[in-house]
């Protein structure tokens, strides 16, 4: 069995749809989006948390081990670099209110079972967590040397509830 997955939407379709909704040409939207992408990349690599209007914020982070002594601080403590996305309240609310459908297919594509979520729609939110003791996620900001904890790796998908006929 395999999950029924959505296919990625092509970039040009996103610009065409945005053009339809805004009345601005797709070419102008693409040029603006490309410029915004460059700014986001630049600021994120400088250690800033970047607002993504209508979506949330993103920042770069690292997972690393914590040490007690200043002389033990070294780059070898970093185990992985990450991109951390924190959705805004509206996106979280939309996810909470969206039913999740799971479709199980056999190798031939025949639907074996279909279930729709009946859960409370709880959203995992690790923004306030502080994992500094055992290697959480921290981000160096600018040149100031401050760190902020948190671990926004996303949550587990909702896994069914009421079956559909």
């Amino acid at each position: 069995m395999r999950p029924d997955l959505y296919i990625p939407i092509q970039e040009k379709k996103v610009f065409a749809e945005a053009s339809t909704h805004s009345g601005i040409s797709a070419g102008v939207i693409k040029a603006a989006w490309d410029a915004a992408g460059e700014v986001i990349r630049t600021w994120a690599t400088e250690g800033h948390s970047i607002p993504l209007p209508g979506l949330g914020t993103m920042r770069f982070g690292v997972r690393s081990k914590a040490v007690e002594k200043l002389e033990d601080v070294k780059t070898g403590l970093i185990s992985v670099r990450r991109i951390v996305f924190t959705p805004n309240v509206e996106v979280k609310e939309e996810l909470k209110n969206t039913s999740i459908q799971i479709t199980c297919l056999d190798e031939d594509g025949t639907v074996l079972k279909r279930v729709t979520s009946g859960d409370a729609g709880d959203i995992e939110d690790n923004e306030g967590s502080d994992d500094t003791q055992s290697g959480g996620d921290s981000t160096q900001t600018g040149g100031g040397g401050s760190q902020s904890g948190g671990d926004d790796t996303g949550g587990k998908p909702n896994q069914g509830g009421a079956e559909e006929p």
Side-chain angles (χ1 to χ4, degrees):
M1 289 188 282
R2 64 181 186 265
D4 188 14
L5 301 175
Y6 291 102
I7 58 170
I9 295 175
Q10 292 184 0
E11 188 178 272
K12 66 182 180 181
K13 184 173 182 175
V14 173
F15 297 130
E17 196 68 24
S19 176
T20 300
H21 287 273
S22 69
I24 301 170
S25 78
V28 171
I29 290 174
K30 182 179 181 340
W33 187 258
D34 289 345
E38 288 295 321
V39 170
I40 290 167
R41 241 185 329 275
T42 299
W43 286 347
T45 57
E46 291 175 359
H48 299 283
S49 179
I50 312 300
L52 303 174
L55 297 173
T57 60
M58 65 129 330
R59 62 183 169 88
F60 292 159
V62 298
R63 184 163 303 271
S64 63
K65 294 180 182 178
V67 294
E68 291 188 25
K69 298 178 185 172
L70 182 61
E71 59 268 13
D72 293 336
V73 174
K74 58 187 174 186
T75 59
L77 296 171
I78 297 171
S79 59
V80 68
R81 296 172 187 218
R82 305 166 2 122
I83 298 171
V84 181
F85 172 73
T86 305
N88 66 21
V89 173
E90 291 82 10
V91 170
K92 287 181 184 180
E93 192 65 26
E94 188 73 26
L95 177 58
K96 177 181 179 178
N97 294 327
T98 299
S99 64
I100 307 296
Q101 185 172 26
I102 300 170
T103 304
C104 299
L105 307 171
D106 67 11
E107 295 164 354
D108 298 321
T110 303
V111 175
L112 300 175
K113 185 174 185 178
R114 182 172 288 142
V115 294
T116 302
S117 60
D119 62 308
D122 294 336
I123 308 294
E124 183 178 66
D125 186 6
N126 293 330
E127 185 61 24
S129 68
D130 184 6
D131 296 333
T132 56
Q133 291 301 315
S134 61
D137 171 54
S138 61
T139 302
Q140 183 87 20
T141 56
S146 64
Q147 291 188 348
S148 61
D151 181 3
D152 298 324
T153 58
K156 296 178 184 174
N158 292 325
Q159 298 188 354
E163 286 189 34
E164 281 190 359

